[in-house]
Amino acid sequence: MEFAMFYEIPVARPWTRDSEYDAYQHTIEQAVLGDKMGFHSFWTVEHHFLEEYSHCSNPEVLYGHIAAKTEKLRIGYGVRLLPKPYNHPVRTAESVAVLDLISNGRVEFGTGRSSTRAELEGFNIHPNETRAQWDEALRHIVGCWTNDEYEFEGEYWSMPKRRVLPKPRQDPHPPIWGATSSVPGHYEIGKRGIGLCSFTVGSPPEDLAERIETYRKGQADCDQPVGLFRNERAATFTMVHCNESNEKARAASEESFVWYPKYGGGLIASVADYLADLEVAELGSYQYTGDAAKSRDEGLMGQLTMDYIWDSGAAVVGDPDRCIEVAKRYEAVGCDLLFCLLNPYKMAHEDVMTSIELMGKYVIPEFKND
């Protein structure tokens, strides 16, 4: 199992004129250290309108900067939103190709469709159309990369024959990934022959086993991958903080580690509210948002405590030995790449830097030796 740096780029209130500046500068400094400490890759979300939770709405500019300041660290879209009108598939193909060229072939192309009301409603996207839009866009993107000239006439996009330039550095194209939070979604990602980004948080590693098994079933049923090659790697993400002692790790992380899954769960639940306001009877592929809404309405989200996170292993947190112990549980259920959410909310920059250094010195080598 390898380790990736994963970022929402939160900006906690109260805000000052320097708050967002500091958040980005700290992220860049952390990525540079992560490159030196042996992390596999650096990924961020693409989110819009999610104040405090994520101020990372245009990550490609950041990716280019980090590519220029690092040598080995791969650069991951975690994820590029594909529904219309977030990002046109041709513009996505062009943008990813440019990043792949300037990074000398270090791009990991993660894709997704969105799971908050603020974003879907803000861009006037009907939730029930997002899976079809994601699927169509993904095929157009691959077509643009892998054909000298390409044309398409789809349900959501069309283009006469054009030569889409430039082409990616990686031949035939960067590895493709798909994000999902629902169990059925894991099958759909596998069925397309692409890598898995399993976005669940606040659960023990063993809960991932069913999801990865479902993904593997989808891969087994995949006759024709969306890309020109199959990506069979499974990634998941969890909150991570490594410090010199268990006591220091818990003190530094508790506020952020409790805040993040509660707030994030509320954002997911908002899609169920949106569909109800649209008078849509069935949640369809957003069934999991109904489960989140039920947990919210029953007050269960408010019961998430640091004791639970610590005791269940729902986060990799502690001294190096404990972090190794919990990370091994993710490896045991079939995780190939562990996304480390290093700052879920308002972690001190110095603590995050300590965590990256200790992960690189003590934790990551334990898995490279396997």
Side-chain angles (χ1 to χ4, degrees):
M1 186 174 75
E2 294 182 289
F3 293 78
M5 311 175 80
F6 184 71
Y7 285 82
E8 301 269 8
I9 311 190
V11 182
R13 292 181 184 275
W15 296 334
T16 69
R17 190 69 185 88
D18 292 333
S19 295
E20 291 176 321
Y21 172 82
D22 289 341
Y24 273 87
Q25 295 304 315
H26 291 164
T27 298
I28 293 163
E29 188 177 344
Q30 291 160 19
V32 171
L33 179 60
D35 186 40
K36 296 174 182 176
M37 299 311 301
F39 280 84
H40 168 270
S41 46
F42 169 91
W43 303 63
T44 78
V45 300
E46 176 196 333
H47 275 316
H48 306 274
F49 318 126
L50 304 186
E51 58 189 68
E52 289 200 274
Y53 185 84
S54 175
H55 290 227
C56 189
S57 55
N58 188 14
E60 286 178 300
V61 177
L62 176 65
Y63 297 159
H65 186 64
I66 287 177
K69 294 181 72 71
T70 56
E71 297 178 1
K72 300 177 183 178
L73 201 65
R74 295 184 65 79
I75 311 296
Y77 288 76
V79 296
R80 177 80 162 187
L81 300 179
L82 298 191
K84 186 178 185 177
Y86 285 133
N87 295 294
H88 192 285
V90 175
R91 294 289 291 122
T92 294
E94 294 167 339
S95 298
V96 174
V98 169
L99 180 61
D100 205 43
L101 291 170
I102 67 174
S103 68
N104 193 19
R106 286 190 277 150
V107 170
E108 301 280 339
F109 181 53
T111 66
R113 59 196 182 103
S114 218
S115 59
T116 75
R117 177 175 188 163
E119 294 168 286
L120 292 166
E121 187 178 33
F123 280 86
N124 195 29
I125 301 168
H126 196 292
N128 287 357
E129 293 188 277
T130 58
R131 178 165 285 172
Q133 291 175 345
W134 166 78
D135 190 59
E136 181 182 327
L138 186 53
R139 296 173 193 277
H140 294 328
I141 292 163
V142 174
C144 290
W145 284 338
T146 58
N147 291 277
D148 178 42
E149 294 182 316
Y150 188 62
E151 61 183 330
F152 52 90
E153 186 71 40
E155 182 179 354
Y156 299 102
W157 294 277
S158 62
M159 183 183 72
K161 185 177 289 187
R162 292 291 186 270
R163 184 172 281 114
V164 180
L165 300 170
K167 303 300 185 188
R169 173 72 168 157
Q170 296 176 83
D171 187 14
H173 55 70
I176 302 171
W177 303 73
T180 186
S181 297
S182 67
V183 174
H186 285 65
Y187 179 85
E188 295 297 327
I189 298 298
K191 190 74 165 21
R192 287 160 176 81
I194 59 179
L196 170 69
C197 297
S198 181
F199 282 177
T200 53
V201 71
S203 302
E206 290 71 27
D207 285 3
L208 186 64
E210 178 192 2
R211 296 168 183 270
I212 291 183
E213 181 181 357
T214 303
Y215 167 68
R216 299 295 179 203
K217 288 178 182 177
Q219 282 276 5
D221 291 343
C222 173
D223 298 323
Q224 183 63 50
V226 172
L228 295 196
F229 64 93
R230 190 185 294 260
N231 181 9
E232 297 182 291
R233 301 192 78 192
T236 192
F237 92 113
T238 188
M239 300 178 290
V240 172
H241 183 66
C242 188
N243 214 311
E244 295 165 354
S245 67
N246 288 335
E247 292 75 21
K248 285 185 177 181
R250 180 158 179 160
S253 63
E254 182 163 359
E255 180 181 8
S256 292
F257 278 30
V258 171
W259 182 90
Y260 179 82
K262 287 181 181 179
Y263 195 89
L267 291 174
I268 291 171
S270 70
V271 177
D273 300 335
Y274 183 31
L275 284 164
D277 288 346
L278 292 173
E279 299 183 351
V280 176
E282 298 293 331
L283 294 176
S285 61
Y286 284 101
Q287 185 63 47
Y288 68 96
T289 70
D291 298 335
K294 182 179 179 182
S295 295
R296 177 200 60 196
D297 295 344
E298 293 177 353
L300 298 180
M301 289 182 184
Q303 297 177 16
L304 184 68
T305 65
M306 192 62 181
D307 285 339
Y308 169 79
I309 292 170
W310 186 275
D311 294 340
S312 68
V316 177
V317 55
D319 64 16
D321 288 340
R322 189 175 192 280
C323 288
I324 291 167
E325 175 188 332
V326 178
K328 290 283 186 184
R329 291 166 60 184
Y330 281 99
E331 186 180 50
V333 296
C335 178
D336 301 308
L337 180 63
L338 187 63
F339 286 9
C340 301
L341 185 65
L342 296 162
N343 179 17
Y345 181 41
K346 57 191 304 185
M347 301 282 293
H349 174 54
E350 295 75 15
D351 287 329
V352 176
M353 294 290 279
T354 295
S355 181
I356 292 167
E357 185 172 358
L358 292 176
M359 290 288 293
K361 282 185 177 180
Y362 302 110
V363 180
I364 292 173
E366 283 294 315
F367 294 79
K368 288 185 175 179
N369 293 336
D370 283 352

